[in-house]
Amino acid sequence: MMSSSSMVLMDRVPIIDLQDPNESNIVAQLDAALQQFGFFYVKNHGIPESLIERQFDISKQLFDLPLHIKESMPFDGTLDIGYLAAGGQALEKTLRTAATEPQQKQQQQQQQSTEKQEGEGQIDTKEQFMMTNNKLITASADADHSVLTVDPDNVFDGSQNYYLQPYIPDHPRVTSDYMSASYKLNLRLQHYLFEALQLDSERRRDLGQHPFLVLKQMKYAGPPSDPSKGQYGAGPHTDWGSFTILATDQQPGLQLLWNGGVDQWLDVPPIPNTLIINAGDQIATLTNHYYKSALHRVVTTSRTVRYSTAVFTYFGLSATFAPLPQFCGGDQTTDLAEDPSIGRTTREYFHYKLHQSVYGSDATRGSTDEEKKE
Ligand SMILES: O=C(O)CCC(=O)C(=O)O
Ligand SMILES: [Fe+2]
């Protein structure tokens, strides 16, 4: 972890070359990018371009299927799988108690009063399809260790997902290969994060075991966004977990809220042969918001269809979150009540956020239907 004063300020989200033979360079760049933006690009990331293209090809075929077929795979919030039609989620609804910095909170409130005329958390125009390694969610806490382990070569193994083989023969193979490659990239990013935070081996094990992993394919074909009416492809939100690995087609739209003197929405444009990485709430909580879980949104400007695919990674499902000791005390103390991921396990925090975004409820601690079912 470098001190803020030694950090070189950048005016745009940096690209980190993962082929750099000097690991400490990678760690230092990751540290600076997470402090300043909460976002960075990676190149030479190990996921073959051909696999990324095949994945987008599958995604296009999937969203082109007739609506009745897509709706035959309805969203299941317990497993976090299935299809959500346009309007099925409103990410902005998760903001009311988002785990963001006080400064960001104030910004959110200003943003909402100046940009929005009606309602809160309007629906997002994106369509989405999700697959997860949900066997970890359904397994009981004392399950056989092998049930809880993730096979990096077959991440979905043993989990319930909708596989579209009858309509898209390559669907199981391509989604599985893409997820496995993404998980391996996540393991590398997590290693660099743990190095930056100088975590001991016990803490690494606690955070790293039984990770929850979500593949979300998205299509934006709705009307152009209009922030003044609260209409977005994806409304302003923070991601909820550890790292998000995002692939987009060549359409712009993603923006993050950044303070480079004044708060502003900064474009995160597509850059060929790179992936976009951002830190979620769990990383912000661990570091007492020293690393940012940046507010971001998708503003579509034209009628052009846009595809993106995110792999959301979470730390261990049973790990409970609180700032690491080195981030507590001094002027870095966070009001624990302000950060809803504190004191919750990954499993609990995930369901809490999901309820806000999909079901619109202010799920209270430990009382969601999903949690009761577990
Ligand atoms: O489509 C994108 O570029 C980003 C979507 C996003 O931020 C999300 O689904 O969490
Ligand atoms: Fe996001």
Side-chain angles (χ1 to χ4, degrees):
M1 177 173 91
M2 298 168 90
S3 73
S4 310
S5 53
S6 67
M7 191 173 76
V8 181
L9 282 181
M10 297 161 280
D11 58 7
R12 44 157 273 188
V13 175
I15 303 175
I16 303 181
D17 183 352
L18 296 187
Q19 237 169 36
D20 190 330
N22 187 346
E23 184 178 296
S24 57
N25 272 344
I26 299 178
V27 172
Q29 288 173 68
L30 175 133
D31 175 81
L34 292 183
Q35 280 185 61
Q36 198 181 344
F37 299 104
F39 269 73
F40 55 92
Y41 296 89
V42 284
K43 67 176 181 184
N44 296 316
H45 46 65
I47 307 186
E49 285 304 313
S50 57
L51 180 56
I52 297 174
E53 273 168 34
R54 277 162 61 218
Q55 180 284 126
F56 275 122
D57 189 44
I58 293 292
S59 169
K60 285 173 193 163
Q61 290 183 52
L62 190 158
F63 290 116
D64 279 349
L65 289 170
L67 190 61
H68 73 273
I69 294 178
K70 293 188 280 192
E71 288 186 337
S72 70
M73 306 174 291
F75 179 69
D76 174 335
T78 306
L79 305 176
D80 196 31
I81 61 169
Y83 176 71
L84 273 174
Q89 188 173 39
L91 283 168
E92 199 176 4
K93 281 189 185 161
T94 62
L95 278 189
R96 255 166 291 167
T97 48
T100 47
E101 292 171 288
Q103 186 192 15
Q104 238 178 28
K105 273 214 165 72
Q106 206 183 356
Q107 167 72 20
Q108 284 167 19
Q109 280 152 10
Q110 282 164 4
Q111 206 77 34
Q112 283 168 4
S113 59
T114 55
E115 284 200 346
K116 209 184 310 171
Q117 289 154 354
E118 58 187 60
E120 186 186 69
Q122 295 224 11
I123 58 168
D124 295 347
T125 57
K126 69 176 147 58
E127 226 183 315
Q128 60 196 50
F129 180 79
M130 275 157 291
M131 302 174 82
T132 59
N133 66 333
N134 50 69
K135 73 171 181 183
L136 267 64
I137 294 254
T138 48
S140 65
D142 56 359
D144 173 359
H145 189 76
S146 65
V147 174
L148 296 169
T149 303
V150 177
D151 176 356
D153 291 314
N154 195 358
V155 169
F156 293 138
D157 185 37
S159 295
Q160 295 174 53
N161 281 297
Y162 298 107
Y163 291 104
L164 296 166
Q165 203 151 18
Y167 312 103
I168 308 171
D170 283 345
H171 184 257
R173 167 124 316 274
V174 172
T175 49
S176 170
D177 287 354
Y178 187 74
M179 195 58 174
S180 294
S182 300
Y183 178 52
K184 287 174 192 166
L185 171 58
N186 179 57
L187 288 176
R188 286 184 69 187
L189 297 171
Q190 183 172 278
H191 168 75
Y192 301 136
L193 175 75
F194 290 172
E195 287 296 300
L197 298 175
Q198 295 169 3
L199 296 189
D200 61 33
S201 52
E202 195 186 331
R203 180 58 81 162
R204 290 180 195 223
R205 198 173 45 247
D206 179 44
L207 292 173
Q209 68 183 352
H210 318 153
F212 182 45
L213 305 161
V214 179
L215 174 67
K216 182 163 92 168
Q217 295 173 304
M218 292 165 269
K219 176 182 179 182
Y220 298 80
S225 304
D226 184 350
S228 73
K229 295 204 174 85
Q231 283 168 6
Y232 301 101
H237 66 282
T238 57
D239 290 350
W240 313 336
S242 166
F243 285 115
T244 300
I245 299 171
L246 181 73
T248 70
D249 62 5
Q250 289 309 301
Q251 299 298 325
L254 179 65
Q255 298 181 323
L256 72 91
L257 189 67
W258 176 62
N259 189 300
V262 287
D263 282 317
Q264 56 187 291
W265 287 102
L266 189 73
D267 287 325
V268 190
I271 298 181
N273 302 315
T274 68
L275 293 165
I276 298 165
I277 310 293
N278 64 290
D281 296 344
Q282 291 189 314
I283 291 177
T285 300
L286 273 182
T287 61
N288 216 345
H289 301 270
Y290 175 75
Y291 288 158
K292 292 189 170 54
S293 171
L295 206 62
H296 56 284
R297 65 186 191 179
V298 175
V299 176
T300 49
T301 51
S302 69
R303 297 214 152 259
T304 317
V305 175
R306 176 180 187 271
Y307 292 90
S308 67
T309 297
V311 172
F312 299 101
T313 70
Y314 292 77
F315 290 119
L317 273 167
S318 306
T320 303
F321 282 79
L324 295 164
Q326 67 263 39
F327 292 101
C328 296
D331 58 3
Q332 283 193 320
T333 309
T334 300
D335 178 352
L336 301 195
E338 286 288 296
D339 181 341
S341 108
I342 292 179
R344 285 192 157 98
T345 62
T346 294
R347 190 186 292 260
E348 289 164 350
Y349 187 60
F350 167 73
H351 281 139
Y352 169 85
K353 299 296 278 188
L354 183 70
H355 265 247
Q356 288 178 329
S357 73
V358 176
Y359 305 114
S361 78
D362 283 319
T364 50
R365 196 169 292 236
S367 68
T368 65
D369 288 339
E370 272 76 3
E371 283 161 13
K372 280 188 195 139
K373 270 188 225 152
E374 278 170 359

PDB file of all heavy atoms in Angstrom, residues 91 126 216 218 220 234 237 239 246 248 254 296 298 306 308 310 312, ligand 1:
ATOM      1  N   LEU A  91     -30.563  -0.349 -11.093  1.00  0.00           N
ATOM      2  CA  LEU A  91     -29.371  -0.320 -10.248  1.00  0.00           C
ATOM      3  C   LEU A  91     -29.339   0.906  -9.352  1.00  0.00           C
ATOM      4  O   LEU A  91     -28.788   0.875  -8.264  1.00  0.00           O
ATOM      5  CB  LEU A  91     -28.111  -0.397 -11.115  1.00  0.00           C
ATOM      6  CG  LEU A  91     -27.812  -1.791 -11.644  1.00  0.00           C
ATOM      7  CD1 LEU A  91     -26.733  -1.754 -12.719  1.00  0.00           C
ATOM      8  CD2 LEU A  91     -27.385  -2.732 -10.517  1.00  0.00           C
ATOM      9  N   LYS A 126     -31.338  -1.895 -19.998  1.00  0.00           N
ATOM     10  CA  LYS A 126     -30.619  -3.079 -20.487  1.00  0.00           C
ATOM     11  C   LYS A 126     -31.398  -4.367 -20.234  1.00  0.00           C
ATOM     12  O   LYS A 126     -32.197  -4.469 -19.302  1.00  0.00           O
ATOM     13  CB  LYS A 126     -29.237  -3.160 -19.857  1.00  0.00           C
ATOM     14  CG  LYS A 126     -29.223  -3.477 -18.380  1.00  0.00           C
ATOM     15  CD  LYS A 126     -27.791  -3.626 -17.916  1.00  0.00           C
ATOM     16  CE  LYS A 126     -27.551  -3.169 -16.506  1.00  0.00           C
ATOM     17  NZ  LYS A 126     -28.345  -3.838 -15.472  1.00  0.00           N
ATOM     18  N   LYS A 216     -22.610 -12.103 -16.274  1.00  0.00           N
ATOM     19  CA  LYS A 216     -23.806 -11.351 -16.688  1.00  0.00           C
ATOM     20  C   LYS A 216     -23.600 -10.800 -18.085  1.00  0.00           C
ATOM     21  O   LYS A 216     -22.724  -9.960 -18.301  1.00  0.00           O
ATOM     22  CB  LYS A 216     -24.076 -10.215 -15.695  1.00  0.00           C
ATOM     23  CG  LYS A 216     -25.330  -9.422 -16.046  1.00  0.00           C
ATOM     24  CD  LYS A 216     -25.829  -8.601 -14.879  1.00  0.00           C
ATOM     25  CE  LYS A 216     -25.260  -7.215 -14.893  1.00  0.00           C
ATOM     26  NZ  LYS A 216     -25.908  -6.303 -13.949  1.00  0.00           N
ATOM     27  N   MET A 218     -25.112  -8.635 -21.195  1.00  0.00           N
ATOM     28  CA  MET A 218     -26.061  -7.512 -21.276  1.00  0.00           C
ATOM     29  C   MET A 218     -26.208  -7.006 -22.706  1.00  0.00           C
ATOM     30  O   MET A 218     -25.245  -7.025 -23.472  1.00  0.00           O
ATOM     31  CB  MET A 218     -25.565  -6.337 -20.411  1.00  0.00           C
ATOM     32  CG  MET A 218     -25.590  -6.625 -18.934  1.00  0.00           C
ATOM     33  SD  MET A 218     -24.621  -5.430 -17.976  1.00  0.00           S
ATOM     34  CE  MET A 218     -23.026  -6.207 -17.943  1.00  0.00           C
ATOM     35  N   TYR A 220     -27.893  -3.516 -24.584  1.00  0.00           N
ATOM     36  CA  TYR A 220     -28.541  -2.216 -24.443  1.00  0.00           C
ATOM     37  C   TYR A 220     -29.128  -1.849 -25.804  1.00  0.00           C
ATOM     38  O   TYR A 220     -28.392  -1.577 -26.743  1.00  0.00           O
ATOM     39  CB  TYR A 220     -27.524  -1.142 -24.071  1.00  0.00           C
ATOM     40  CG  TYR A 220     -26.823  -1.355 -22.741  1.00  0.00           C
ATOM     41  CD1 TYR A 220     -25.757  -2.237 -22.626  1.00  0.00           C
ATOM     42  CD2 TYR A 220     -27.212  -0.646 -21.603  1.00  0.00           C
ATOM     43  CE1 TYR A 220     -25.096  -2.412 -21.411  1.00  0.00           C
ATOM     44  CE2 TYR A 220     -26.568  -0.814 -20.389  1.00  0.00           C
ATOM     45  CZ  TYR A 220     -25.510  -1.699 -20.305  1.00  0.00           C
ATOM     46  OH  TYR A 220     -24.856  -1.871 -19.106  1.00  0.00           O
ATOM     47  N   ALA A 234     -27.750   1.753 -17.728  1.00  0.00           N
ATOM     48  CA  ALA A 234     -27.583   1.225 -16.366  1.00  0.00           C
ATOM     49  C   ALA A 234     -27.447   2.442 -15.458  1.00  0.00           C
ATOM     50  O   ALA A 234     -26.559   3.278 -15.670  1.00  0.00           O
ATOM     51  CB  ALA A 234     -26.356   0.334 -16.264  1.00  0.00           C
ATOM     52  N   HIS A 237     -24.486   3.355  -9.958  1.00  0.00           N
ATOM     53  CA  HIS A 237     -24.412   2.330  -8.903  1.00  0.00           C
ATOM     54  C   HIS A 237     -22.946   2.033  -8.632  1.00  0.00           C
ATOM     55  O   HIS A 237     -22.069   2.399  -9.411  1.00  0.00           O
ATOM     56  CB  HIS A 237     -25.105   1.037  -9.346  1.00  0.00           C
ATOM     57  CG  HIS A 237     -24.404   0.365 -10.498  1.00  0.00           C
ATOM     58  ND1 HIS A 237     -24.525   0.803 -11.798  1.00  0.00           N
ATOM     59  CD2 HIS A 237     -23.528  -0.676 -10.538  1.00  0.00           C
ATOM     60  CE1 HIS A 237     -23.774   0.062 -12.593  1.00  0.00           C
ATOM     61  NE2 HIS A 237     -23.148  -0.838 -11.859  1.00  0.00           N
ATOM     62  N   ASP A 239     -20.536  -1.479  -7.846  1.00  0.00           N
ATOM     63  CA  ASP A 239     -20.652  -2.937  -7.865  1.00  0.00           C
ATOM     64  C   ASP A 239     -20.491  -3.429  -6.432  1.00  0.00           C
ATOM     65  O   ASP A 239     -20.002  -2.720  -5.566  1.00  0.00           O
ATOM     66  CB  ASP A 239     -19.631  -3.551  -8.822  1.00  0.00           C
ATOM     67  CG  ASP A 239     -19.995  -3.248 -10.282  1.00  0.00           C
ATOM     68  OD1 ASP A 239     -21.101  -2.755 -10.529  1.00  0.00           O
ATOM     69  OD2 ASP A 239     -19.146  -3.489 -11.161  1.00  0.00           O
ATOM     70  N   LEU A 246     -14.914  -6.517 -16.984  1.00  0.00           N
ATOM     71  CA  LEU A 246     -15.919  -6.088 -17.963  1.00  0.00           C
ATOM     72  C   LEU A 246     -15.356  -6.079 -19.381  1.00  0.00           C
ATOM     73  O   LEU A 246     -14.325  -5.464 -19.648  1.00  0.00           O
ATOM     74  CB  LEU A 246     -16.398  -4.672 -17.614  1.00  0.00           C
ATOM     75  CG  LEU A 246     -17.469  -4.086 -18.522  1.00  0.00           C
ATOM     76  CD1 LEU A 246     -18.827  -4.738 -18.272  1.00  0.00           C
ATOM     77  CD2 LEU A 246     -17.582  -2.575 -18.316  1.00  0.00           C
ATOM     78  N   THR A 248     -16.576  -5.008 -23.232  1.00  0.00           N
ATOM     79  CA  THR A 248     -17.637  -4.319 -23.982  1.00  0.00           C
ATOM     80  C   THR A 248     -17.356  -4.484 -25.464  1.00  0.00           C
ATOM     81  O   THR A 248     -16.221  -4.766 -25.856  1.00  0.00           O
ATOM     82  CB  THR A 248     -17.693  -2.806 -23.671  1.00  0.00           C
ATOM     83  OG1 THR A 248     -16.534  -2.178 -24.226  1.00  0.00           O
ATOM     84  CG2 THR A 248     -17.753  -2.535 -22.185  1.00  0.00           C
ATOM     85  N   LEU A 254     -20.026   3.749 -20.947  1.00  0.00           N
ATOM     86  CA  LEU A 254     -19.688   3.618 -19.532  1.00  0.00           C
ATOM     87  C   LEU A 254     -19.012   4.900 -19.026  1.00  0.00           C
ATOM     88  O   LEU A 254     -18.126   5.445 -19.683  1.00  0.00           O
ATOM     89  CB  LEU A 254     -18.757   2.414 -19.343  1.00  0.00           C
ATOM     90  CG  LEU A 254     -18.278   2.138 -17.921  1.00  0.00           C
ATOM     91  CD1 LEU A 254     -19.442   1.759 -16.999  1.00  0.00           C
ATOM     92  CD2 LEU A 254     -17.238   1.003 -17.922  1.00  0.00           C
ATOM     93  N   HIS A 296     -20.655   4.319 -11.009  1.00  0.00           N
ATOM     94  CA  HIS A 296     -20.569   4.326 -12.482  1.00  0.00           C
ATOM     95  C   HIS A 296     -21.947   4.095 -13.077  1.00  0.00           C
ATOM     96  O   HIS A 296     -22.883   3.710 -12.368  1.00  0.00           O
ATOM     97  CB  HIS A 296     -19.539   3.305 -12.974  1.00  0.00           C
ATOM     98  CG  HIS A 296     -19.759   1.896 -12.512  1.00  0.00           C
ATOM     99  ND1 HIS A 296     -19.458   1.468 -11.236  1.00  0.00           N
ATOM    100  CD2 HIS A 296     -20.261   0.807 -13.144  1.00  0.00           C
ATOM    101  CE1 HIS A 296     -19.744   0.178 -11.108  1.00  0.00           C
ATOM    102  NE2 HIS A 296     -20.251  -0.249 -12.252  1.00  0.00           N
ATOM    103  N   VAL A 298     -24.184   3.652 -17.223  1.00  0.00           N
ATOM    104  CA  VAL A 298     -24.075   3.524 -18.684  1.00  0.00           C
ATOM    105  C   VAL A 298     -25.079   4.487 -19.304  1.00  0.00           C
ATOM    106  O   VAL A 298     -26.292   4.394 -19.062  1.00  0.00           O
ATOM    107  CB  VAL A 298     -24.337   2.080 -19.165  1.00  0.00           C
ATOM    108  CG1 VAL A 298     -24.331   2.013 -20.692  1.00  0.00           C
ATOM    109  CG2 VAL A 298     -23.267   1.136 -18.593  1.00  0.00           C
ATOM    110  N   ARG A 306     -25.753  -1.907 -27.972  1.00  0.00           N
ATOM    111  CA  ARG A 306     -24.476  -2.075 -27.283  1.00  0.00           C
ATOM    112  C   ARG A 306     -24.533  -3.374 -26.484  1.00  0.00           C
ATOM    113  O   ARG A 306     -25.527  -3.636 -25.808  1.00  0.00           O
ATOM    114  CB  ARG A 306     -24.246  -0.893 -26.343  1.00  0.00           C
ATOM    115  CG  ARG A 306     -22.989  -0.975 -25.476  1.00  0.00           C
ATOM    116  CD  ARG A 306     -22.897   0.272 -24.584  1.00  0.00           C
ATOM    117  NE  ARG A 306     -21.654   0.337 -23.848  1.00  0.00           N
ATOM    118  CZ  ARG A 306     -21.472  -0.224 -22.633  1.00  0.00           C
ATOM    119  NH1 ARG A 306     -22.449  -0.894 -22.066  1.00  0.00           N
ATOM    120  NH2 ARG A 306     -20.312  -0.102 -22.025  1.00  0.00           N
ATOM    121  N   SER A 308     -22.410  -5.775 -23.605  1.00  0.00           N
ATOM    122  CA  SER A 308     -21.292  -5.871 -22.672  1.00  0.00           C
ATOM    123  C   SER A 308     -21.468  -7.143 -21.847  1.00  0.00           C
ATOM    124  O   SER A 308     -22.585  -7.679 -21.753  1.00  0.00           O
ATOM    125  CB  SER A 308     -21.214  -4.638 -21.774  1.00  0.00           C
ATOM    126  OG  SER A 308     -22.331  -4.598 -20.912  1.00  0.00           O
ATOM    127  N   ALA A 310     -20.166  -8.759 -18.067  1.00  0.00           N
ATOM    128  CA  ALA A 310     -19.415  -8.551 -16.822  1.00  0.00           C
ATOM    129  C   ALA A 310     -19.275  -9.880 -16.096  1.00  0.00           C
ATOM    130  O   ALA A 310     -20.216 -10.686 -16.064  1.00  0.00           O
ATOM    131  CB  ALA A 310     -20.154  -7.555 -15.927  1.00  0.00           C
ATOM    132  N   PHE A 312     -18.732 -10.694 -12.332  1.00  0.00           N
ATOM    133  CA  PHE A 312     -18.657 -10.116 -10.989  1.00  0.00           C
ATOM    134  C   PHE A 312     -18.057 -11.172 -10.074  1.00  0.00           C
ATOM    135  O   PHE A 312     -18.546 -12.301 -10.026  1.00  0.00           O
ATOM    136  CB  PHE A 312     -20.046  -9.739 -10.469  1.00  0.00           C
ATOM    137  CG  PHE A 312     -20.748  -8.721 -11.314  1.00  0.00           C
ATOM    138  CD1 PHE A 312     -21.729  -9.102 -12.218  1.00  0.00           C
ATOM    139  CD2 PHE A 312     -20.429  -7.378 -11.218  1.00  0.00           C
ATOM    140  CE1 PHE A 312     -22.382  -8.163 -12.999  1.00  0.00           C
ATOM    141  CE2 PHE A 312     -21.076  -6.429 -11.994  1.00  0.00           C
ATOM    142  CZ  PHE A 312     -22.050  -6.825 -12.893  1.00  0.00           C
TER     143      PHE A 312
HETATM  144  O1  LIG B   1     -22.363  -2.380 -19.459  1.00  0.00           O
HETATM  145  C1  LIG B   1     -21.449  -1.812 -18.858  1.00  0.00           C
HETATM  146  O2  LIG B   1     -20.528  -1.245 -19.463  1.00  0.00           O
HETATM  147  C2  LIG B   1     -21.413  -1.770 -17.349  1.00  0.00           C
HETATM  148  C3  LIG B   1     -22.579  -2.435 -16.659  1.00  0.00           C
HETATM  149  C4  LIG B   1     -22.469  -2.365 -15.173  1.00  0.00           C
HETATM  150  O3  LIG B   1     -21.854  -1.489 -14.628  1.00  0.00           O
HETATM  151  C5  LIG B   1     -23.087  -3.411 -14.324  1.00  0.00           C
HETATM  152  O4  LIG B   1     -23.901  -4.199 -14.824  1.00  0.00           O
HETATM  153  O5  LIG B   1     -22.745  -3.482 -13.126  1.00  0.00           O
END
